[in-house]
């Protein structure tokens, strides 16, 4: 069977965010390009969520591993800022996965993130909108801490950015 | 493109980010409340990540690799402003510094999104979204504590008065202002400072705090060209203790 970009995208579905093991890198939106050049070389472009994210090196390694596992030896994985990641790039499937994992997905925004966007978060546990932001910073760079006044649980949110 | 001017700009940004990042990280474990402990730690990680992005660009322009550049220079080879190297002090001082420095950083990145040097504009575009959180955090606390109790207002005011001469040192002009502006790499420190004054004044107006008269304040400059306070070298010694124990180790 010949190698297609589509097939590579499906392999990449297996690669999960090391800190959020239910979310694939494809659904996270950090894989920005998959190409096969005329020499059959596979070129994958990735972009970081947060520039200081320590998970990026692991993600890159995991992408390389999945290519190798599928018998690809001629490949290149590049990290580039050409496509600048924002949280709108998380897919619908990704948002559902985040919610099931107990992380509130980031609301879609018009690229202007202000306090209104930050404070309107639905509790991933009970679905209530009666929540308050405790801190825009959390245990990893991409998470904020909120509290639900309805079910009294504190929860984390994948930050809109 | 003028590489000397470009490197001069990149070094000061990278060094500011690296040093303020390490200072912020000193709050890890000792923040006044848990959320603030996490906030300063998280911002520290962001800022050190930012410095890495700029050190990488420097590396592409022929400088040493990021680890060597970050950890194996002496104080007089650093281009950060003196403001970022000052000890964290009490929480009020760190908060005021965070407020004053991060506003300047945000405006600098906004200006750099239009830089003619693409690697810088790409990073700046990316970082703006991250720094926005830092600004929001700083503004919330300055407004809250700047209108809270007599003690909180007095303490912030005292820190503000102490910080301002150093904060003005952020805008120490480069030897290459003209080249950078002509080549549309960066519009310049004077333009940055004007916008900064507007932005911080807008927030301070909503508090009981008074911005000292800037025309009567002498800026603490020198940092951009290696003149530092007594506080930088001990910080660098601490930051580089591990790498210096075995510079060739593989991690």
């Amino acid at each position: 069977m010949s190698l297609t970009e589509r097939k590579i995208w499906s392999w990449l579905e297996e690669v999960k965010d090391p800190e959020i093991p239910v979310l694939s890198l494809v659904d996270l939106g950090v894989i920005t390009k998959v190409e096969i050049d005329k020499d059959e070389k596979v070129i994958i472009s990735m972009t970081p969520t947060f520039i200081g994210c320590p998970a990026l090196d692991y993600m890159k390694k995991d992408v390389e591993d999945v290519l190798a596992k599928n018998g690809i030896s001629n490949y290149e994985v590049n990290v580039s800022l050409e496509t600048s990641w924002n949280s709108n790039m998380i897919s619908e499937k990704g948002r559902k996965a985040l919610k099931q994992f107990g992380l509130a997905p980031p609301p879609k925004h018009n690229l202007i993130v202000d306090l209104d966007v930050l404070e309107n978060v639905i509790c991933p546990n009970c679905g209530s909108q009666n929540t308050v932001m405790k801190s825009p910073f959390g245990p990893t760079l991409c998470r904020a801490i909120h509290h639900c006044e309805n079910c009294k649980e504190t929860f984390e949110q994948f930050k809109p950015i | 493109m003028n590489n000397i001017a470009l490197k001069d700009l990149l070094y000061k940004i990278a060094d500011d980010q690296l040093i303020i990042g390490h200072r912020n990280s000193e709050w890890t474990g000792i923040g006044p409340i848990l959320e603030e402990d996490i906030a300063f730690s998280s911002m520290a990680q962001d800022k050190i990540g930012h410095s890495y992005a700029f050190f990488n660009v420097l590396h592409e322009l022929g400088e040493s690799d990021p680890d060597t550049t970050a950890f194996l220079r002496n104080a007089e080879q650093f281009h950060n402003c003196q403001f970022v190297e000052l000890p964290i002090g009490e929480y009020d001082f760190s908060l005021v510094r965070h407020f004053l420095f991060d506003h300047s950083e945000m405006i600098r990145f906004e200006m750099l999104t239009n830089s003619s040097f693409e690697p810088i504009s790409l990073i700046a575009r990316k970082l703006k979204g991250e720094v926005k959180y830092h600004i929001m955090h700083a503004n919330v606390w300055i407004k809250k504590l700047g209108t809270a109790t007599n003690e909180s207002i007095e303490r912030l005011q005292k820190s503000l008065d102490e910080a301002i001469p150093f904060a003005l040192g952020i805008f120490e002009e480069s030897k290459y202002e003209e080249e950078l502006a002509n080549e549309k790499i960066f519009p310049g420190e004077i333009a940055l400072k004007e916008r900064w004054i507007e932005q911080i004044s807008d927030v301070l107006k909503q508090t009981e705090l008074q911005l000292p008269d800037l025309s009567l304040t002498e800026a603490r400059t020198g940092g951009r060209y290696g003149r530092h306070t007594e506080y930088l070298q001990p910080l660098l010694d601490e930051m580089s203790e591990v790498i210096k124990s075995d510079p060739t180790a593989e991690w």
Side-chain angles (χ1 to χ4, degrees):
Chain A
M1 246 194 319
S2 69
L3 185 63
T4 61
E5 286 169 14
R6 204 181 166 143
K7 199 182 287 168
I8 298 168
W9 278 105
S10 73
W11 295 339
L12 293 173
E13 286 273 342
E14 284 173 38
V15 188
K16 308 295 183 197
D17 180 323
E19 283 167 340
I20 310 167
V22 294
L23 184 64
S24 81
L25 299 194
V26 175
D27 288 316
L28 180 59
V30 296
I31 308 283
T32 53
K33 221 190 280 173
V34 172
E35 295 163 288
I36 304 168
D37 75 4
K38 55 179 175 10
D39 303 320
E40 293 279 293
K41 182 179 186 178
V42 175
I43 304 165
I44 293 179
S45 303
M46 298 178 63
T47 193
T49 52
F50 282 69
I51 225 160
C53 179
L56 185 66
D57 288 340
Y58 294 94
M59 293 184 191
K60 191 175 169 211
K61 177 87 187 18
D62 290 345
V63 169
E64 289 168 353
D65 286 350
V66 87
L67 292 175
K69 197 182 88 183
N70 285 283
I72 307 290
S73 54
N74 189 12
Y75 60 77
E76 192 181 303
V77 182
N78 300 314
V79 174
S80 156
L81 290 171
E82 227 161 276
T83 304
S84 193
W85 185 87
N86 65 63
S87 55
N88 289 341
M89 287 156 76
I90 301 176
S91 70
E92 278 312 313
K93 193 168 136 239
R95 283 163 200 276
K96 279 197 193 116
L98 281 175
K99 205 176 152 205
Q100 276 164 3
F101 188 62
L103 269 177
K108 291 252 179 158
H109 56 82
N110 55 0
L111 299 180
I112 300 167
V113 175
D114 54 21
L115 282 174
D116 280 347
V117 172
L118 293 181
E119 282 173 357
N120 275 316
V121 179
I122 296 169
C123 172
N125 304 310
C126 74
S128 169
Q129 292 192 357
N130 187 13
T131 64
V132 286
M133 181 173 69
K134 286 301 206 186
S135 169
F137 299 100
T140 67
L141 292 184
C142 56
R143 301 188 199 183
I145 303 172
H146 297 256
H147 183 76
C148 177
E149 301 287 10
N150 184 49
C151 70
K152 309 290 180 202
E153 287 284 340
T154 294
F155 62 92
E156 292 169 13
Q157 176 206 24
F158 198 113
K159 262 153 96 157
I161 190 171
Chain B
M1 197 164 280
N2 187 329
N3 267 12
I4 298 174
L6 197 53
K7 283 184 193 174
D8 186 80
L9 176 70
L10 284 163
Y11 262 116
K12 74 174 165 193
I13 301 173
D15 286 347
D16 273 355
Q17 298 288 321
L18 181 73
I19 300 301
I20 193 74
H22 276 88
R23 282 298 186 209
N24 281 349
S25 78
E26 291 176 28
W27 282 107
T28 305
I30 58 164
I33 52 172
L34 183 59
E35 284 86 350
E36 282 310 277
D37 195 309
I38 296 168
F40 270 86
S41 309
S42 192
M43 292 189 289
Q45 197 182 348
D46 272 339
K47 290 190 194 299
I48 293 170
H50 300 170
S51 77
Y52 180 61
F54 289 106
F55 284 131
N56 257 325
V57 179
L58 279 164
H59 186 38
E60 281 158 22
L61 291 172
E63 300 297 287
S64 300
D65 68 278
D67 279 342
T68 307
T69 313
F71 295 117
L72 297 176
R73 284 177 295 154
N74 289 319
E76 64 271 20
Q77 295 167 294
F78 269 77
H79 303 256
N80 59 280
C81 59
Q82 293 180 0
F83 193 27
V84 294
E85 73 205 33
L86 298 177
I88 58 173
E90 298 279 332
Y91 178 70
D92 46 79
F93 179 78
S94 277
L95 179 61
V96 162
R97 171 165 59 186
H98 159 46
F99 170 70
L100 296 174
F101 177 79
D102 287 18
H103 270 278
S104 78
E105 177 190 25
M106 183 69 178
I107 304 164
R108 191 184 293 278
F109 289 153
E110 273 168 10
M111 289 174 147
L112 289 172
T113 55
N114 298 316
S115 177
S116 59
F117 185 60
E118 206 194 9
I120 294 189
S121 69
L122 288 176
I123 298 173
R125 239 177 280 166
K126 175 72 197 151
L127 298 193
K128 256 184 8 179
E130 299 184 13
V131 178
K132 189 172 269 177
Y133 277 96
H134 303 190
I135 297 284
M136 259 188 278
H137 175 261
N139 289 353
V140 163
W141 282 106
I142 288 287
K143 285 185 208 165
K144 212 176 254 186
L145 294 176
T147 53
T149 63
N150 282 341
E151 190 195 354
S152 73
I153 294 164
E154 268 168 34
R155 287 178 71 150
L156 282 186
Q157 186 65 54
K158 188 169 158 282
S159 287
L160 186 61
D161 295 343
E162 280 169 19
I164 280 294
F166 287 96
L168 290 175
I170 298 172
F171 313 104
E172 175 179 351
E173 285 179 58
S174 151
K175 292 176 189 162
Y176 308 100
E177 293 288 316
E178 229 182 281
E179 286 92 331
L180 291 168
N182 287 344
E183 296 195 38
K184 302 210 173 356
I185 297 170
F186 175 61
E189 298 295 333
I190 294 176
L192 170 57
K193 184 169 133 190
E194 276 171 18
R195 284 183 53 188
W196 175 78
I197 295 170
E198 264 173 49
Q199 277 200 19
I200 59 163
S201 304
D202 273 353
V203 180
L204 292 174
K205 256 189 280 176
Q206 302 171 51
T207 69
E208 303 292 323
L209 304 169
Q210 302 293 327
L211 184 64
D213 187 341
L214 299 182
S215 62
L216 299 175
T217 310
E218 201 184 328
R220 295 288 298 253
T221 55
R224 299 302 184 201
Y225 293 100
R227 205 148 46 81
H228 293 285
T229 64
E230 62 193 352
Y231 303 112
L232 182 59
Q233 191 58 51
L235 173 65
L236 297 176
D237 292 342
E238 193 184 332
M239 278 161 55
S240 57
E241 204 178 329
V242 175
I243 194 170
K244 279 181 184 155
S245 70
D246 183 358
T248 59
E250 294 264 342
W251 295 89

